[in-house]
Amino acid sequence: MFDGWMPLLATVLVKPVTADMAPKNHPEELRNIPLVKCQKWIARILTRLFTRYGRPEYVDEYWRPFAIMWRRKYSLIVMNQMLHVLKNYRDGHFVSDPVLVQVYTYFNTAIAYSDLYKYMKQAFNFIVWDCAFRTLSLTQHDLDTYTQNPVEFFRARSDFSFDTGVIPLFTARQLIADLVRVRSADSLQRVLLSLQHIFTTYAGASPENKNPVRKEAGMHIFGSLARFLINYDP
């Protein structure tokens, strides 16, 4: 039965959500259509199967056979499906915040496993710069809020204001931070060089050509690495 359910869940999870699926004249209601709600629960189920029941070293004896089966048979398959969701996101299709949270959490959990990380490493730039960096970047709504209500802007982007487990901004930032912390040999130099390029480009640009969106996202990443960098001993 489990083997029968998995392909069905994958089919729904990776299906692109396009603008024409929204109720007529109400594009803002896209997040409430049945497909998006199903994707939210599927992403949550698959991620929790991995984080809570799919890691043999963290489960009790009752769940150990399932955990071994999951790691061997499904952990990479599901990671590829999560990667497909990020491709939809990169390509401009609607992906809800709850789904993004679960996707970044899945990848964050996979960092610790060499067989899964081997495939993550191949998609490093895509995961970090095409997707997580985009999640950290200010949207037009953010910029409007900053102009009209700066207090609300900073409240909404502060760790202590919300449960950080339900906002993709925080899970995306944590993914990058943990990649650098756990896989420093592969990630540290790549991330720092990219940040250096972002900051020097911003500093050297004329006022009309400065890009505060990229600079602010870069500062998010640099801030998340601060404690690690202070204590880092090559």
Side-chain angles (χ1 to χ4, degrees), residues 31-222:
R31 67 187 68 251
N32 294 321
I33 67 173
L35 174 59
V36 171
K37 292 183 177 181
C38 287
Q39 289 177 335
K40 177 187 74 173
W41 286 106
I42 290 170
R44 183 175 296 180
I45 289 168
L46 293 176
T47 298
R48 289 190 178 181
L49 281 171
F50 184 26
T51 59
R52 297 188 181 185
Y53 305 105
R55 297 185 290 170
E57 67 273 30
Y58 293 113
V59 299
D60 58 31
E61 286 302 313
Y62 178 82
W63 287 104
R64 187 170 174 78
F66 177 86
I68 293 172
M69 181 276 294
W70 173 272
R71 277 286 291 119
R72 291 176 177 173
K73 187 172 184 178
Y74 288 113
S75 57
L76 180 58
I77 291 175
V78 173
M79 192 171 79
N80 283 326
Q81 293 162 1
M82 297 293 188
L83 199 62
H84 197 117
V85 174
L86 287 184
K87 289 179 181 177
N88 289 341
Y89 176 63
R90 189 270 314 271
D91 292 342
H93 297 299
F94 178 80
V95 178
S96 70
D97 285 356
V99 170
L100 279 177
V101 165
Q102 300 303 324
V103 170
Y104 290 138
T105 300
Y106 194 98
F107 280 111
N108 204 341
T109 305
I111 292 171
Y113 299 95
S114 58
D115 58 321
L116 299 180
Y117 175 70
K118 179 175 69 175
Y119 289 93
M120 285 184 64
K121 183 179 176 180
Q122 297 173 12
F124 181 91
N125 286 334
F126 170 73
I127 295 171
V128 172
W129 300 113
D130 291 354
C131 299
F133 187 80
R134 174 183 171 183
T135 301
L136 292 170
S137 299
L138 296 168
T139 65
Q140 186 58 50
H141 174 73
D142 295 326
L143 295 171
D144 293 341
T145 303
Y146 177 77
T147 301
Q148 300 164 12
N149 191 346
V151 173
E152 173 61 22
F153 171 83
F154 286 110
R155 186 187 72 84
R157 294 177 73 86
S158 298
D159 289 0
F160 53 79
S161 299
F162 295 101
D163 176 0
T164 59
V166 298
I167 299 179
L169 181 143
F170 300 124
T171 49
R173 187 175 67 187
Q174 192 62 47
L175 171 60
I176 298 174
D178 286 347
L179 262 173
V180 172
R181 179 179 59 83
V182 178
R183 301 292 180 176
S184 302
D186 297 323
S187 305
L188 180 58
Q189 281 296 109
R190 297 173 73 174
V191 170
L192 290 181
L193 287 174
S194 294
L195 291 178
Q196 181 184 35
H197 176 72
I198 290 170
F199 296 147
T200 55
T201 300
Y202 181 84
S206 58
E208 64 273 13
N209 291 321
K210 289 185 182 294
N211 187 340
V213 172
R214 288 183 60 80
K215 189 256 304 186
E216 202 269 349
M219 291 299 294
H220 255 297
I221 297 172
F222 192 72

Side-chain angles (χ1 to χ4, degrees), residues 1-9 49 66 69 73-74:
M1 181 178 292
F2 191 81
D3 289 342
W5 273 102
M6 291 299 290
L8 295 176
L9 296 178
L49 281 171
F66 177 86
M69 181 276 294
K73 187 172 184 178
Y74 288 113

